[in-house]
Amino acid sequence: MNILRKSWKLALAAGLGSLLSFASHALTTEQAYAMAAADDSEQRALAINQAVLAPDAQADGGRLSAYLGALANDEVRVSQGKVYVMSGDAVTDPVTGQAAQLPADAEEVISNNYLRSVIDTAQAALALGSSDVQARRKAAEQLASEPDAGRLPLIEKALAAEQDGQVRALLERSQAASLLGSDEVQQRLKAVEQLSRQQTPETQLLLNQRLSEESDPGVQKAIKAALAGIAEGLAWGDRLGAIFSGISLGSVLLLAALGLAITYGLMGVINMAHGELIMIGAYATYLVQVAFQRWLPEAWFGWYLVVAVPVAFLASALVGAVLERGVIRFLYGRPLETLLATFGISLVLQQTVRSLFGAQNVGVENPVWMSGGIALLPNLTLPWNRIAIIVFAFAVLAGVAFMIARTRLGLFVRGVTQNRAMASCVGVNTARTDTYAFALGSGIAGLAGCALSQIGNVGPDLGQNYIVDSFLVVVLGGVGQLAGTVYAALGLGVLSKLLEGWTGAVLAKIAVLLFIVVFIQKRPQGIFALKGRSAET
């Protein structure tokens, strides 16, 4: 079979001049019959390629493409030198497109997997003439993944007319990959040099495959040198990707821990329900999405996230205020009791969500402007949703810093944090400040839930994935210190992702935990120590 396939490819390449001069129509009766009723699969594949390589196939490829699709779906019948396409009960002539009568002796044409692969690639070749750049990119990707020396003239013709840089790069890769199988050493060396300039995982794979088959020592040496250069180029993409992933994870941890830094630092409350406040913000985002889908025009859907941000904040802040006034204010000064009480509240909140929304995860869609990403390197694409979350996290941080440093509430919070008794003596309502601060921290947790809904599913257990990491960030950064929270969140995020590349996710988690334990042993105050008289007591 391999010998036969090679023979028809050589025959196709040898007869290229006559194929390119073949004219009149993109699909003739003779072509259609040869593509369907040739004696074996190789001859049918040759007929398909001849039809695709015809000069006017690109200009009038719609009917040819439709016929190829019918062949792939086993919808073609042949009888006495003519072909028919059956779509349900309808019968048409693929050459004229008119309705036809199916003869009683018509035979079914069956395409095997090899022919379906040939048909798929042929349709991709036809799409190279499309006016839609996305269709051409998709076609060029398919041709690049299945190189074939018989299609070199078609690729060269498309290259001469192509203006899009991405499509040109794909076509050049397909051209070079096809030349790798040439019998001439110089052609193979030229192909290796061309592929070495495209430092992508795909070219690396192509060269590795060719290296195992290559017999010429000179070509082998060139391939090894090209692979070394490609590996070095891709390594930078991997390193930058790990750093970006670490910053992305750090921004998520920052959002999750920022509210906890306020509540834990101000009141010393070990709030085990903080993760459920994150969950409430995520479900609030989901409800806003559902409202936009059901009751507002479709064109407005992209704006649902703008509405969801304040809704998530208010929903979690309200639950936090109720939690503080109803339970926590009676337990100040008793950290063990607050831990147990808030743990029980977390279970209640989880079960409430399960009763209202079900135990299964719910999906929250990204707006169109957060879909896709920006490709910086061949193996490095930065998703827009991750970039948006990083920007959002630092915007929230800036807002919280401004509130703490420049507002009356922030002044009261700082005063109560440093010396609660003195703040009360000068007229600060510490109980009200506690409620406002706890509501603020809970609202920030809701913002974290809104952000997390854009990078994963929303479920009752969402917050449990971040509660431990949030406490680690707060303790490592320094209790009540926003700057320490930022350093700790970003540092742990980047460190975790860098270690994952060497040790795997589980060992990286253990290593980070050991690092935190050792660090706290050496510096119990965290990265930034609490300032004020209360720090000395």
Side-chain angles (χ1 to χ4, degrees):
M1 179 62 74
N2 290 332
I3 296 176
L4 289 173
R5 290 182 185 177
K6 187 174 181 180
S7 65
W8 75 258
K9 290 179 182 179
L10 292 174
L12 180 59
L16 192 57
S18 60
L19 290 176
L20 293 178
S21 62
F22 187 84
S24 74
H25 301 289
L27 183 63
T28 65
T29 301
E30 292 78 10
Q31 282 179 318
Y33 185 76
M35 294 159 66
D39 292 338
D40 56 36
S41 297
E42 300 298 335
Q43 292 181 359
R44 288 171 60 187
L46 179 60
I48 291 171
N49 280 278
Q50 286 176 338
V52 172
L53 285 171
D56 58 348
Q58 299 284 336
D60 189 24
R63 189 169 296 168
L64 176 57
S65 180
Y67 179 63
L68 290 172
L71 277 174
N73 295 327
D74 298 334
E75 295 176 345
V76 176
R77 307 290 184 269
V78 296
S79 174
Q80 300 179 3
K82 292 194 65 176
V83 293
Y84 306 87
V85 173
M86 288 192 63
S87 180
D89 296 330
V91 181
T92 57
D93 185 336
V95 177
T96 63
Q98 302 296 319
Q101 184 70 33
L102 185 68
D105 62 347
E107 298 180 358
E108 184 178 5
V109 177
I110 303 296
S111 296
N112 55 30
N113 290 335
Y114 165 63
L115 280 174
R116 288 192 176 91
S117 175
V118 172
I119 290 170
D120 288 343
T121 309
Q123 288 180 314
L126 288 175
L128 288 177
S130 172
S131 59
D132 183 5
V133 66
Q134 295 298 331
R136 297 202 307 276
R137 287 179 185 174
K138 184 177 179 181
E141 286 176 358
Q142 184 168 350
L143 288 176
S145 64
E146 299 178 8
D148 185 349
R151 298 189 183 92
L152 277 172
L154 184 65
I155 294 171
E156 292 169 356
K157 179 182 176 182
L159 268 172
E162 186 57 59
Q163 300 296 322
D164 183 79
Q166 185 176 354
V167 178
R168 286 190 62 85
L170 289 168
L171 289 174
E172 288 171 357
R173 190 176 81 203
S174 179
Q175 181 187 45
S178 299
L179 288 174
L180 274 179
S182 172
D183 292 333
E184 298 181 14
V185 172
Q186 292 302 319
Q187 291 281 13
R188 298 203 298 276
L189 287 172
K190 180 181 177 182
V192 171
E193 181 184 359
Q194 188 172 349
L195 288 173
S196 68
R197 293 194 294 267
Q198 294 192 18
Q199 297 184 340
T200 66
E202 291 78 14
T203 55
Q204 187 180 42
L205 178 61
L206 283 170
L207 289 173
N208 273 317
Q209 290 175 341
R210 183 61 199 177
L211 182 61
S212 62
E213 302 171 358
E214 183 58 52
S215 57
D216 185 83
V219 179
Q220 287 181 348
K221 182 178 179 181
I223 292 176
K224 290 178 181 178
L227 285 172
I230 293 173
E232 180 61 26
L234 294 179
W236 277 108
D238 293 336
R239 296 184 193 112
L240 294 175
I243 293 174
F244 175 79
S245 297
I247 295 174
S248 176
L249 175 60
S251 66
V252 171
L253 293 177
L254 175 61
L255 281 172
L258 198 55
L260 194 62
I262 296 174
T263 57
Y264 186 39
L266 174 63
M267 294 167 284
V269 175
I270 303 176
N271 181 17
M272 297 301 294
H274 186 76
E276 279 57 52
L277 296 172
I278 295 175
M279 174 196 67
I280 289 172
Y283 272 99
T285 305
Y286 167 71
L287 290 177
V288 172
Q289 173 197 261
V290 172
F292 268 71
Q293 289 174 332
R294 291 184 180 178
W295 298 314
L296 292 177
E298 185 177 354
W300 291 15
F301 181 76
W303 296 97
Y304 90 87
L305 201 57
V306 177
V307 178
V309 168
V311 171
F313 178 87
L314 292 174
S316 293
L318 179 60
V319 174
V322 172
L323 177 61
E324 196 279 335
R325 297 305 297 170
V327 177
I328 292 177
R329 72 187 182 99
F330 301 107
L331 301 174
Y332 288 136
R334 293 183 286 175
L336 180 60
E337 282 83 349
T338 57
L339 185 151
L340 294 174
T342 54
F343 178 72
I345 291 171
S346 72
L347 297 179
V348 172
L349 291 175
Q350 287 184 46
Q351 189 56 47
T352 301
V353 168
R354 288 191 181 94
S355 300
L356 293 175
F357 300 97
Q360 300 298 320
N361 292 339
V362 297
V364 179
E365 299 179 20
N366 290 135
V368 175
W369 53 273
M370 284 182 65
S371 302
I374 176 172
L376 296 183
L377 295 173
N379 62 331
L380 177 61
T381 299
L382 308 184
W384 284 119
N385 58 348
R386 293 281 183 175
I387 295 174
I389 289 175
I390 294 173
V391 174
F392 180 67
F394 282 94
V396 172
L397 174 65
V400 172
F402 177 82
M403 188 278 298
I404 294 294
R406 301 293 183 182
T407 66
R408 186 178 180 84
L409 175 61
L411 177 63
F412 289 169
V413 169
R414 285 184 285 122
V416 173
T417 300
Q418 293 182 17
N419 196 318
R420 177 180 293 270
M422 183 59 70
S424 179
C425 289
V426 298
V428 176
N429 189 332
T430 57
R432 183 181 298 172
T433 302
D434 289 341
T435 302
Y436 287 161
F438 200 92
L440 174 64
S442 301
I444 296 173
L447 295 179
C450 181
L452 289 172
S453 69
Q454 301 302 303
I455 58 176
N457 290 324
V458 175
D461 300 325
L462 171 66
Q464 296 300 307
N465 299 325
Y466 296 94
I467 182 64
V468 175
D469 290 337
S470 298
F471 274 106
L472 290 178
V473 168
V474 171
V475 172
L476 180 63
V479 176
Q481 299 297 307
L482 292 183
T485 303
V486 176
Y487 280 100
L490 295 179
L492 289 180
V494 173
L495 180 62
S496 296
K497 290 301 179 181
L498 290 177
L499 289 176
E500 281 182 14
W502 297 335
T503 64
V506 176
L507 290 178
K509 194 80 171 178
I510 295 172
V512 169
L513 183 59
L514 291 175
F515 165 76
I516 294 173
V517 171
V518 173
F519 185 89
I520 296 300
Q521 287 291 325
K522 298 295 183 181
R523 188 177 175 84
Q525 313 96 314
I527 297 175
F528 291 91
L530 185 65
K531 296 180 181 179
R533 293 179 181 176
S534 61
E536 301 173 359
T537 60

